[in-house]
Amino acid sequence: MVAAALGGAVAAATGSRAAGAEGAATYLDINLIFITATLFMNLLKESGGVAFVVRGILRRFHRQRALLLAMLSLVLLVPGR
């Protein structure tokens, strides 16, 4: 990203227009969010954090089936898998 920023600064200083980068740069922040979220969830899964959370939800809400389903669905939605 540093190289792209320096290249953009040089291009802007020379007066050239780089219109091709506008479309791809629009979604850069969204892509970085997805990449870091995937990395975080994989680390959490490998360390046993997801199993710990699911076990805690099962212990706490085992008698309230609707709430249990909602909580487990939320856990499944967080990693996007």
Side-chain angles (χ1 to χ4, degrees), residues 9 15 23 25 32-33 38 40 46 53 56 62 64 70 73 75 78-79 81:
L32 288 174
I33 289 170
T38 303
F40 173 73
E46 290 297 322
V53 170
H62 70 276
Q64 301 152 340
S73 297
V75 170
V78 168
R81 294 193 112 152

Side-chain angles (χ1 to χ4, degrees), residues 4-51:
L6 290 174
V10 169
T14 60
S16 66
R17 304 187 84 199
E22 292 175 4
T26 303
Y27 298 107
L28 180 63
D29 57 340
I30 296 170
N31 288 333
L32 288 174
I33 289 170
F34 281 124
I35 290 169
T36 54
T38 303
L39 176 66
F40 173 73
M41 287 311 297
N42 282 333
L43 288 173
L44 196 61
K45 182 177 68 172
E46 290 297 322
S47 69
V50 175

